[in-house]
Amino acid sequence: MSDVDSGTYEGFTAEERAAMKEHAQEQKAAARRSSRADKAAQAERDVLAKIAEMQDSDRIMAERVHAVVTAAAPALAPKLWYGMPSYALDGKVVCFFQSAGKFKTRYATLGFSDQAKLDEGTMWASAFALTEVTAEVEERISALVKQAVS
């Protein structure tokens, strides 16, 4: 039985409400920017600033993920999505990095939206737990991102 069914549902967590507020602010900021080039440049600065705010282990992983994603798929545009670094194709988020600190989880996550072309049979992974970004992990991320935009 879910919390809603049992009558104990208390609404969104503080972290979820904060993420929704961040998303609303991101949308407002994007609407105020004038040119497409200005929007892209500011969006990347916003992503890098958000990464810089993260706790050490999350920040280190997010920096490496950012470098790998932007190198593997230059067509993806960095942008904030619910306060998380994400990478979009034609304005639609393909993948994102969720720090462990975002929702107080024990690991960071590299997630892919339904826009990612990761389909494999009738079931496939769309999110990956990250505890460290090693050279092997970077290779796997690169391959996943390339497949996602293929």
Side-chain angles (χ1 to χ4, degrees):
M1 182 182 337
S2 74
D3 287 345
V4 174
D5 295 337
S6 67
T8 61
Y9 179 72
E10 295 181 21
F12 295 106
T13 66
E15 294 83 7
E16 291 168 331
R17 284 191 303 278
M20 289 184 283
K21 284 181 182 179
E22 284 181 300
H23 184 61
Q25 291 169 344
E26 294 158 8
Q27 297 296 88
K28 288 177 187 176
R32 286 191 299 264
R33 295 185 189 118
S34 57
S35 72
R36 175 173 252 172
D38 181 40
K39 288 180 183 185
Q42 185 60 50
E44 181 155 21
R45 286 192 297 272
D46 292 347
V47 165
L48 294 173
K50 184 59 73 174
I51 290 171
E53 293 173 5
M54 293 178 186
Q55 297 171 356
D56 289 346
S57 61
D58 283 340
R59 181 181 41 74
I60 291 164
M61 286 190 290
E63 289 170 347
R64 292 182 77 180
V65 167
H66 178 77
V68 171
V69 170
T70 55
L76 291 179
K79 67 183 265 181
L80 288 178
W81 184 62
Y82 293 94
M84 296 178 286
S86 69
Y87 305 87
L89 185 62
D90 299 325
K92 296 180 181 177
V93 171
V94 173
C95 62
F96 59 92
F97 177 85
Q98 179 181 303
S99 69
K102 182 75 175 168
F103 295 108
K104 299 179 182 161
T105 58
R106 66 183 179 94
Y107 51 79
T109 305
L110 174 65
F112 292 86
S113 75
D114 63 329
Q115 299 298 310
K117 298 174 184 163
L118 298 178
D119 306 36
E120 187 177 304
T122 58
M123 183 175 149
W124 57 90
S126 62
F128 299 85
L130 295 172
T131 58
E132 183 180 7
V133 178
T134 63
E136 182 182 329
V137 170
E138 286 181 353
E139 287 179 28
R140 181 75 173 121
I141 291 170
S142 179
L144 284 167
V145 169
K146 287 176 183 177
Q147 180 182 349
V149 297
S150 64

